[in-house]
Amino acid sequence: MTQSAEHVLDHFELFRGPEYQQMLANKKKMFENPRDPAEVERIREWAKTPEYREKNFAREALTVNPAKACQPLGAVFVAVGFEKTLPFVHGSQGCVAYYRSHLSRHFKEPSSCVSSSMTEDAAVFGGLNNMIDGLANAYNMYKPKMIAVSTTCMAEVIGDDLNAFIKTSKEKGSVPAEYDVPFAHTPAFVGSHVTGYDNAMKGILEHFWDGKAGTAPKLERVPNEKINFIGGFDGYTVGNIREVKHIFEEMGIEYTILGDNSNVFDTPTDGEFRMYDGGTTLEDAANAVHAKATISMQHYCTEKTLPFIKNHGHEVVSFHHPVGVTGTDAFVMALSKLTGKEIPESLALERGRLVDAIADSSAHIHGKKFAIYGDPDLCLGLASFLLELGAEPTHVLATNGNKEWAERVQAVFDSSPFGKNCHVYPGKDLWHMRSLLFTEPVDFLIGNTYGKYLERDTGTPLIRIGFPIFDRHHKHRYPVWGYQGGLNVLVTILDKIFDEIDRNTNVPAKSDYSFDIIR
Amino acid sequence: MSSLSATIQNVFNEPGCGKNANKSEAERKKGCTKQLQPGGAAGGCAFDGAKVALQPLTDVAHLVHGPIACEGNSWDNRGAASSGSQIWRTGFTTDINETDVVFGGEKRLYKAIKEIIEKYDPPAVFVYQTCVPAMTGDDINAVCKAASAKFGKPCIPVNSPGFVGPKNLGNKLAGEALLDHVIGTVEPEVTTPYDLNIIGEYNLSGELWQVKPLFDELGIRISACISGDGRYKDVASSHRARAAMMVCSKAMINVARKMEERYGIPFFEGSFYGIQDSSDSLREIARLLVERGAPADLLDRTEAVIAREEAKAWAAIEPFKKRLTGKKVLLITGGVKSWSVVAALQEAGMELVGTSVKKSTKEDKERIKELMGQDAHMIDDMAPREMYKMLKDAKADIMLSGGKSQFVALKAAMPWLDINQERSHAFMGYIGMVKLVAEIDKAIYNPMWEQLRKRAPWETASNNWQAKAIAQANAEAAALAADPVAAEAARRAKKICHCKSVDLGTIEDAIKTHGLTDVAGVRTHTNASGGCGACAGRVEDILAAQKAPTAPLLQAAE
């Protein structure tokens, strides 16, 4: 036996043993109707051709390797950003398990979230009873201060009316009548996780500002000097929100982070389990209506939320996930303009340091070609930063990007001579990206963990920036926003560039004449 | 075996060195060791110079005898490329400790050599002396001699401890070590009429390989390159070559000249930086080889290769010329000789607005003048503020320099390209020139510079560091203009001799008072140019300026 109790092999090693190799070979030969390896190879090569690409891009119905997730994931992400709030997803429990594992695997933190566990009879007769029981159980078992309800497709298909259901549940005594249960309809067959973020954020603000679903008077806005900040769906939320707070504090601005999940996704190990941690207090969420202005860091995460806020009399500003010097300049300038506060010397120094770092290393990035995929705002932010560095974002692809997004990306390309040969691909998937990487190769690919298959198949080195990142740890702790964040993105890109140079020069007696200590 | 001080004297007496030839006997004895100004920033030491000169010999073990500092900080810090052995990159050191300092480290050194030979079996072991064992009296010559005899393997003492002087002296002492212990110790297996030595070339980024195919095509054999991608046996048998090309004139002139003296190998000084220089060098090589008996058709074949390669290079540069014509270049460089790069840049249509001459010899400067005209802006030292001013006044578009100056350029928001030893691109030969032009183009058109120069959006035009720096400079200039006394004081305070810290006023006064007419006189009275001698040219200029208006004796009589 390859495996033995004295020396237990893990799966990396075990299945390379002769018995397993033999077994797998036999299975293939006898039961799997194996194809001629030459034919397999021929097809593999054919799939790299422009001819195949053409067929690939003619795909109409099938999505292969999508670079997006579903609405409720975004809704859960928002909900945990409020004080002691339990995300409650009305629908089937399997979906909810996905959101929890997705968030857990990325942030390496527990992810608390419940579902109404709808079953077949609920699908037939409606999910009201599941809502009534679910809210009561969740309220009693987990003692949340608020329950934020969103939905899976199942509830949406049968048309469950959350507003009415929650009202009925309260009447039936599931939760106290004055208890906060904001809600949002978040069907996965519309939009993506960024849409879900938008709907959930709007649902919560609407709840607090517009009379708690008719159970309280609407809030009268008494403008103050505060600024609201909305980060949007963001895999770097832990580092980013802390960085943004730092910027606000350096500038002496009073602020409210709406949906502050920076603590709940980064709880300390000190003997205490925190099901909830940090978050925007419910009081702050309500009082946010009085703020002078609201800033959204990701336009496509707040397409409905921001107009809603504007209607309440706020000044609103949105960004596309700003990364780098110009992006961050625009962000701090907007803060300065909205508040009348001056930008302090401390931020000018941070800026100078980022500029300095760029100057020190730019020669290595300048002229390199990149493919980027990810959420629409992230793509825009990264593409702008690459152009700033003299790199070419040759392919920019967002499965959840639309035509209007594509126009914005094109405008970014047009703003720089390095954008001349760059193309944007809205609504395409990672199998499209595969064809792009084969037919129009680039130096590096930027994307999430799923990009590793593209890296393996096409040989394009993957720089992991995005969500989810499952196979590298703790990236979410480091900001990508602010001048410090720009530095982190720069270093992430550079590390891969240098790794590649080393990898290409490290063969003893062959290429190691350039395997240098100093780069 | 001569003592270290005798070797140093011998190196100082190098007749091949133009600067040296201009010195008086007494001055020559004092040597060209620039006495460093205590407290001032300084460059590498003699040990470092010796190490970088020999380190590119790839198949030998380089063993540094000293505390960890010397090898620990210098291990594998040059981008010289090897086509074979990588042992040169392995950091060998005796890493001496307190006991060795007290009781002597010779035994440890001997054992270290033994272990290297047992474990690695290189064709030779080079042993580098450093300050500490030199002071405690470890005799590396004796140890190497004993080890060579015992192990039957050449152990080469490189006696160049850091304290004897600067890096350049170390280069020469490294050359002496080769001359004393290596060159001529092995007879080559084959010789051809086309055997060429290349001296002072280090194959940084593998740039020698950009030229080598041309040699191969012409049938010219590099019998030894000292020291880039060099092999011990090749260097040991290099005394049978027919001709030599000396690439970096300051570093290894003693090697080239003494090989001519001892073995009758004629040499010329050439460069492969720039198209014209490459062609000239190839021609010269062919000429020398034919003179020494190679078939005369080599000349024609060389011309054909030159014509072809030039045409190819020009064609490749052509598309860049459009983008680069009129671009102004500031050249701050140490090792790569300024004038050879100057020609290269002009070929690409660029205009040279200034060049550093800190490490250039007098001839180098003459050549720069020839190439750039009499208005050549030669810079000894440049502050970031001045650099920024040049940039701001559109006097320069890019700076080419070594790694050490990069930060000055970057802080001044000046586009910058590395052309010294730590660079990652090979710029030699016809291909190298195309690469250099492409890299300059890339550097100039990097959008990052725009970002770098743009002030933060919240800064007003008058409230950013650039404006402040310029305003300060202008204010100082205005203050001087308004105050002739202060202006005169400032003029007179200009440092002429950096080694001996002598200013212009002192020299002018001395010339007037004593009616001096030559550099030697100025040196006697003020000590100016008594150090490295690099300021002799400036002193000459001052002498000329002083002579013009009135006769000094008359003035003194008044």
Side-chain angles (χ1 to χ4, degrees):
Chain A
M1 277 297 280
T2 314
Q3 190 67 293
S4 78
E6 285 76 44
H7 180 58
V8 180
L9 297 172
D10 67 17
H11 62 94
F12 295 123
E13 297 297 332
L14 178 62
F15 301 119
R16 294 177 192 176
E19 293 100 325
Y20 284 100
Q21 287 299 305
Q22 186 62 47
M23 181 193 79
L24 293 169
N26 287 344
K27 179 168 167 278
K28 188 165 191 178
K29 208 164 111 192
M30 294 188 281
F31 304 105
E32 292 181 353
N33 187 23
R35 300 299 169 125
D36 175 11
E39 176 65 2
V40 173
E41 198 48 41
R42 192 186 67 78
I43 297 293
R44 194 203 304 282
E45 288 305 313
W46 173 66
K48 299 176 182 174
T49 60
E51 182 198 348
Y52 181 85
R53 170 178 165 170
E54 207 172 299
K55 288 187 190 305
N56 189 6
F57 272 74
R59 250 189 300 136
E60 282 173 12
L62 181 67
T63 296
V64 184
N65 296 346
K68 66 170 179 179
C70 71
Q71 279 213 52
L73 179 74
V76 170
F77 183 91
V78 171
V80 297
F82 289 86
E83 178 195 8
K84 290 193 81 176
T85 295
L86 184 68
F88 180 107
V89 187
H90 181 49
S92 56
Q93 96 284 354
C95 303
V96 177
Y98 287 140
Y99 320 141
R100 296 180 63 192
S101 59
H102 228 56
L103 294 169
S104 270
R105 288 167 180 170
H106 177 85
F107 291 110
K108 314 297 177 200
E109 283 288 325
S111 171
S112 300
C113 172
V114 299
S115 87
S116 61
S117 301
M118 281 169 70
T119 51
E120 198 176 352
D121 45 327
V124 177
F125 301 109
L128 179 59
N129 286 335
N130 294 65
M131 178 71 84
I132 294 167
D133 292 348
L135 284 178
N137 288 335
Y139 178 73
N140 290 315
M141 282 198 292
Y142 304 117
K143 309 274 185 277
K145 203 166 175 184
M146 172 164 94
I147 296 177
V149 178
S150 55
T151 53
T152 72
C153 301
M154 192 173 175
E156 289 300 318
V157 168
I158 56 178
D160 283 357
D161 180 348
L162 290 181
N163 189 14
F165 278 22
I166 291 165
K167 209 169 155 201
T168 310
S169 298
K170 284 185 172 178
E171 281 162 9
K172 300 247 177 192
S174 294
V175 294
E178 69 287 352
Y179 186 76
D180 290 312
V181 188
F183 64 89
H185 290 275
T186 53
F189 46 80
V190 176
S192 70
H193 55 291
V194 303
T195 327
Y197 183 102
D198 193 10
N199 285 332
M201 180 60 79
K202 177 165 170 278
I204 290 170
L205 297 182
E206 213 166 3
H207 170 80
F208 285 109
W209 296 3
D210 285 356
K212 302 193 173 185
T215 63
K218 287 190 181 188
L219 295 180
E220 195 64 41
R221 179 167 179 258
V222 187
N224 57 29
E225 288 301 306
K226 278 191 158 185
I227 301 290
N228 297 331
F229 176 89
I230 302 175
F233 193 96
D234 174 21
Y236 299 90
T237 186
V238 171
N240 273 346
I241 287 187
R242 288 173 188 166
E243 177 67 20
V244 165
K245 284 179 182 170
H246 156 73
I247 292 173
F248 277 122
E249 274 150 26
E250 288 297 320
M251 292 185 70
I253 295 169
E254 281 192 87
Y255 63 91
T256 305
I257 308 278
L258 293 170
D260 177 1
N261 46 21
S262 60
N263 280 356
V264 75
F265 285 133
D266 187 24
T267 63
T269 287
D270 58 0
E272 184 197 344
F273 169 67
R274 294 163 173 81
M275 185 160 170
Y276 316 103
D277 199 14
T280 315
T281 64
L282 305 189
E283 204 184 354
D284 282 349
N287 287 333
V289 73
H290 307 304
K292 182 176 188 181
T294 299
I295 289 183
S296 162
M297 213 59 158
Q298 298 194 71
H299 176 85
Y300 292 103
C301 290
T302 51
E303 282 184 294
K304 290 183 202 132
T305 304
L306 222 50
F308 164 81
I309 293 172
K310 196 176 177 193
N311 281 340
H312 282 74
H314 289 215
E315 274 186 71
V316 294
V317 183
S318 70
F319 294 92
H320 294 293
H321 197 294
V323 178
V325 180
T326 314
T328 309
D329 282 352
F331 172 60
V332 296
M333 286 300 282
L335 290 180
S336 173
K337 196 165 155 247
L338 289 170
T339 59
K341 303 262 187 188
E342 282 199 4
I343 291 155
E345 185 58 24
S346 59
L347 287 184
L349 283 175
E350 288 183 26
R351 181 185 192 276
R353 288 175 192 133
L354 173 58
V355 171
D356 185 58
I358 288 172
D360 289 342
S361 326
S362 78
H364 292 280
I365 300 181
H366 177 49
K368 297 267 189 312
K369 290 180 175 174
F370 291 77
I372 309 172
Y373 73 85
D375 287 341
D377 291 296
L378 176 66
C379 283
L380 276 159
L382 287 175
S384 304
F385 186 42
L386 287 178
L387 289 170
E388 184 172 296
L389 298 170
E392 294 181 27
T394 308
H395 312 303
V396 178
L397 179 150
T399 308
N400 49 355
N402 57 20
K403 244 183 152 176
E404 188 262 352
W405 167 78
E407 281 162 21
R408 286 188 194 225
V409 177
Q410 189 58 49
V412 170
F413 292 160
D414 293 343
S415 70
S416 160
F418 296 91
K420 206 168 67 185
N421 299 315
C422 301
H423 290 99
V424 58
Y425 300 94
K428 298 298 180 202
D429 56 41
L430 298 188
W431 198 255
H432 292 115
M433 181 60 100
R434 192 174 187 271
S435 277
L436 292 173
L437 294 176
F438 276 129
T439 54
E440 292 176 66
V442 295
D443 298 304
F444 296 95
L445 169 67
I446 298 183
N448 60 20
T449 283
Y450 293 113
K452 76 194 285 176
Y453 297 111
L454 291 170
E455 179 180 41
R456 183 194 61 186
D457 290 359
T458 68
T460 317
L462 171 67
I463 296 168
R464 286 172 176 77
I465 301 175
F467 178 93
I469 297 196
F470 293 152
D471 60 346
R472 295 292 184 272
H473 292 193
H474 307 304
K475 302 298 175 197
H476 61 277
R477 297 173 193 278
Y478 300 92
V480 298
W481 292 339
Y483 297 114
Q484 183 57 45
L487 193 64
N488 290 336
V489 174
L490 178 76
V491 171
T492 304
I493 294 171
L494 282 170
D495 279 351
K496 185 55 97 177
I497 290 176
F498 292 126
D499 282 348
E500 274 304 296
I501 297 175
D502 285 345
R503 205 178 58 80
N504 287 329
T505 55
N506 66 6
V507 184
K510 244 189 164 161
S511 62
D512 63 346
Y513 53 81
S514 297
F515 191 59
D516 290 333
I517 290 300
I518 301 157
R519 299 287 192 199
Chain B
M1 209 168 280
S2 59
S3 72
L4 175 58
S5 59
T7 311
I8 293 173
Q9 272 314 314
N10 181 286
V11 168
F12 286 157
N13 206 8
E14 175 54 56
C17 171
K19 195 192 289 175
N20 190 52
N22 290 336
K23 285 183 182 171
S24 71
E25 186 59 35
E27 281 308 317
R28 207 169 294 150
K29 273 222 173 101
K30 270 194 215 159
C32 45
T33 351
K34 177 172 175 177
Q35 285 305 318
L36 289 168
Q37 201 180 338
C45 63
F47 157 72
D48 190 46
K51 182 95 187 297
V52 300
L54 297 180
Q55 195 173 237
L57 285 173
T58 57
D59 59 351
V60 308
H62 299 276
L63 171 62
V64 176
H65 182 43
I68 187 60
C70 310
E71 176 65 355
N73 295 322
S74 70
W75 173 30
D76 196 14
N77 61 0
R78 305 257 294 188
S82 165
S83 60
S85 176
Q86 292 290 332
I87 193 173
W88 68 285
R89 282 193 156 175
T90 309
F92 295 113
T93 176
T94 49
D95 187 13
I96 61 170
N97 57 32
E98 248 176 321
T99 320
D100 300 315
V101 174
V102 177
F103 297 105
E106 290 176 356
K107 270 192 191 138
R108 180 189 279 272
L109 174 60
Y110 183 80
K111 277 189 202 156
I113 294 172
K114 181 166 176 271
E115 284 173 6
I116 286 178
I117 291 171
E118 280 170 0
K119 293 198 164 69
Y120 297 89
D121 193 31
V125 179
F126 279 45
V127 176
Y128 296 82
Q129 180 68 301
T130 63
C131 295
V132 173
M135 288 195 296
T136 57
D138 285 3
D139 185 347
I140 68 160
N141 287 7
V143 174
C144 283
K145 202 172 170 187
S148 301
K150 175 82 180 170
F151 307 123
K153 181 84 61 166
C155 300
I156 312 302
V158 183
N159 218 337
S160 181
F163 59 69
V164 301
K167 203 165 170 173
N168 180 252
L169 176 62
N171 293 156
K172 294 196 167 61
L173 291 175
E176 290 300 314
L178 292 181
L179 288 163
D180 286 349
H181 304 287
V182 183
I183 295 169
T185 57
V186 175
E187 283 306 320
E189 280 158 22
V190 277
T191 54
T192 76
Y194 299 102
D195 288 357
L196 176 77
N197 287 336
I198 298 182
I199 298 166
E201 161 55 39
Y202 302 113
N203 198 31
L204 298 173
S205 304
E207 58 188 2
L208 177 62
W209 301 337
Q210 299 196 157
V211 183
K212 196 169 172 295
L214 301 180
F215 288 149
D216 293 345
E217 186 185 344
L218 291 168
I220 296 169
R221 200 174 71 125
I222 300 178
S223 45
C225 182
I226 300 171
S227 54
D229 197 17
R231 302 288 186 282
Y232 181 76
K233 226 184 95 191
D234 294 345
V235 176
S237 60
S238 61
H239 60 298
R240 295 295 177 219
R242 297 304 180 95
M245 169 172 173
M246 185 176 67
V247 177
C248 192
S249 70
K250 281 181 79 178
M252 288 253 187
I253 183 152
N254 51 335
V255 175
R257 199 195 50 77
K258 285 185 180 165
M259 285 184 81
E260 182 173 41
E261 190 179 276
R262 289 183 194 174
Y263 310 111
I265 305 172
F267 73 93
F268 76 100
E269 191 183 331
S271 147
F272 281 108
Y273 289 105
I275 294 172
Q276 190 57 48
D277 282 73
S278 298
S279 300
D280 289 349
S281 295
L282 285 177
R283 266 188 206 107
E284 194 59 21
I285 289 167
R287 194 185 62 76
L288 280 181
L289 288 173
V290 170
E291 246 173 44
R292 303 257 359 252
D297 75 309
L298 177 63
L299 298 173
D300 295 335
R301 289 193 291 122
T302 303
E303 285 304 328
V305 165
I306 288 171
R308 186 195 67 208
E309 290 298 316
E310 280 195 358
K312 258 202 287 190
W314 282 118
I317 288 169
E318 195 55 38
F320 290 107
K321 280 187 83 176
K322 247 179 275 159
R323 288 158 63 90
L324 292 178
T325 296
K327 290 287 176 200
K328 301 185 184 92
V329 180
L330 190 60
L331 184 69
I332 311 284
T333 168
V336 179
K337 284 187 301 179
S338 299
W339 53 265
S340 56
V341 179
V342 171
L345 299 176
Q346 289 182 335
E347 276 169 8
M350 281 170 280
E351 197 181 313
L352 206 81
V353 290
T355 185
S356 71
V357 287
K358 223 176 167 183
K359 290 195 191 174
S360 302
T361 60
K362 203 175 166 190
E363 288 87 359
D364 284 344
K365 285 184 205 171
E366 286 307 314
R367 289 171 108 144
I368 293 168
K369 269 189 189 165
E370 229 171 81
L371 282 159
M372 292 171 57
Q374 289 300 313
D375 306 332
H377 197 114
M378 292 196 220
I379 301 149
D380 270 321
D381 261 318
M382 200 169 202
R385 198 172 73 185
E386 289 171 56
M387 215 178 265
Y388 180 74
K389 201 165 171 356
M390 284 196 82
L391 182 86
K392 169 105 175 154
D393 303 343
K395 282 184 186 147
D397 295 301
I398 187 169
M399 180 177 106
L400 309 187
S401 78
K404 275 181 206 150
S405 319
Q406 70 169 297
F407 300 109
V408 183
L410 292 179
K411 305 296 177 200
M414 172 81 87
W416 170 80
L417 187 67
D418 188 355
I419 54 166
N420 266 5
Q421 70 268 19
E422 282 156 27
R423 66 179 178 267
S424 44
H425 303 291
F427 295 138
M428 237 168 84
Y430 299 98
I431 310 164
M433 184 59 212
V434 177
K435 182 73 188 163
L436 176 68
V437 172
E439 286 299 316
I440 290 176
D441 179 75
K442 224 175 111 181
I444 286 184
Y445 287 98
N446 190 331
M448 182 266 304
W449 298 114
E450 203 183 318
Q451 183 67 264
L452 209 60
R453 277 175 228 165
K454 247 186 346 202
R455 55 177 189 265
W458 56 85
E459 283 176 337
T460 56
S462 58
N463 182 31
N464 65 82
W465 67 266
Q466 291 101 328
K468 279 182 210 156
I470 297 295
Q472 198 189 341
N474 289 344
E476 281 167 18
L480 286 183
D483 183 351
V485 180
E488 175 62 10
R491 189 188 68 82
R492 286 172 53 90
K494 185 174 156 45
K495 196 66 62 65
I496 300 299
C497 175
H498 293 282
C499 305
K500 301 293 177 187
S501 192
V502 186
D503 61 27
L504 176 63
T506 309
I507 295 173
E508 282 182 350
D509 290 349
I511 294 171
K512 277 181 198 160
T513 318
H514 304 288
L516 305 175
T517 53
D518 60 6
V519 177
V522 173
R523 193 183 304 128
T524 314
H525 286 279
T526 66
N527 217 4
S529 88
C532 72
C535 59
R538 288 193 289 269
V539 174
E540 273 169 15
D541 292 346
I542 299 166
L543 281 164
Q546 290 291 308
K547 206 155 59 181
T550 42
L553 280 175
L554 261 178
Q555 211 167 40
E558 283 168 12

